[in-house]
Amino acid sequence: PFSHKKEGEKMKEKIRKLTVSAMLIALSTVLSLIKPIDLPLGGSVTPFAMLPVMLIPIMYGVRFGFFACFVNSVVQMLLSIAEVVSWGMTPLVLVSCILLDYILAYTVLGFTGFAKNKGKGAIIGFALLSLSLRFLMHFISGTVLFGNFSDGVWAVIWGSITYNASYMVPEMITTTLALFALFSNKAFCNFIKK
C-alpha cells in the first residue's frame, strides 16, 4: 500500500508539471500573437511572450525546461511557417531559418533552468544568457538570409545585427525586468516553489 501511495504522488506531480507547463506555453503563445511591433522578415516586440516559457525551466529544472522550450519552439514555428515559406527562400535557407529562428532560438531559453533554486541573481544571469543565445541564433540565421540579398560580409553582418537587435533588445530588456520584478516578490517566489 505504501508504494502505491508513493507512485500516486509521483503521478500527481507529473500531471501537475505537465499541466502548469502547458498553461505557461499557451500563455506564451497568446502573448506572442500580440505584436505592437511586427517586422517584415520575422521578429516582433511582444508583451513578455518569452516570460511564461522561461518560468518552466526555473521551476522544473534544465532537462524538463529544455523539453518544454522545445515544445514551445515547435508551436512558434507552426504559427509562422506559412509566412516563412512565402518569403521564397531556397530549401537550404528555409531549413536553416526553421532550425535557427525557431527550433534552436526558442529551445535555448531552457538554459534558465540552471538557475533553479539558486536565487534572483542566478535567474537574471541565466535569463540574460538564454536571451543572448536566442539573439545569437537569430543573428546567425540573419546572416544566412541577408547573405542572399546583400553583397559584402560586413553589410550582411551589420544588417543581421541591426535587424535582430531592433526587436530582441526590447524583448531582452522587458523580459529581464519582469523576471527581476517577479523574483523580487516573496509571495511569487513562495508560489513558484510549490
Side-chain angles (χ1 to χ4, degrees):
F2 180 71
S3 68
H4 290 296
K5 186 175 181 181
K6 197 172 189 179
E7 287 176 26
E9 290 299 318
K10 282 184 181 180
M11 183 58 76
K12 278 184 182 179
E13 184 55 34
K14 284 181 183 178
I15 291 169
R16 182 180 184 275
K17 187 190 289 190
L18 287 171
T19 304
V20 168
S21 297
M23 290 178 0
L24 289 171
I25 290 170
L27 178 58
S28 185
T29 302
V30 169
L31 291 172
S32 75
L33 298 173
I34 303 167
K35 303 174 183 180
I37 300 172
D38 193 15
L39 300 178
L41 294 174
S44 57
V45 177
T46 65
F48 310 107
M50 290 184 287
L51 181 64
V53 80
M54 290 176 75
L55 292 174
I56 298 168
I58 293 169
M59 291 171 20
Y60 300 123
V62 176
R63 188 171 160 196
F64 189 81
F66 274 117
F67 170 73
C69 289
F70 171 77
V71 170
N72 183 61
S73 77
V74 172
V75 171
Q76 292 300 316
M77 180 195 64
L78 291 173
L79 289 172
S80 302
I81 196 71
E83 179 185 356
V84 171
V85 170
S86 76
W87 296 339
M89 295 180 266
T90 65
L92 180 62
V93 173
L94 177 62
V95 169
S96 299
C97 179
I98 289 169
L99 284 174
L100 292 165
D101 279 328
Y102 294 96
I103 304 301
L104 292 174
Y106 287 95
T107 301
V108 297
L109 297 177
F111 276 102
T112 55
F114 285 107
K116 182 181 178 191
N117 299 324
K118 292 197 172 66
K120 182 172 50 176
I123 290 167
I124 299 305
F126 280 107
L128 287 171
L129 171 67
S130 299
L131 295 165
S132 297
L133 289 171
R134 180 174 171 207
F135 175 80
L136 178 64
M137 295 301 112
H138 292 304
F139 165 73
I140 294 168
S141 177
T143 59
V144 171
L145 181 62
F146 286 119
N148 285 340
F149 304 117
S150 180
D151 292 327
V153 173
W154 290 111
V156 171
I157 290 171
W158 183 248
S160 185
I161 288 172
T162 56
Y163 184 89
N164 290 300
S166 70
Y167 69 92
M168 278 302 301
V169 169
E171 287 279 314
M172 292 169 78
I173 291 169
T174 57
T175 302
T176 304
L177 289 174
L179 281 168
F180 181 82
L182 286 174
F183 285 94
S184 293
N185 183 307
K186 229 177 193 171
F188 180 79
C189 291
N190 291 335
F191 171 77
I192 209 162
K193 287 179 184 176
K194 289 182 182 179

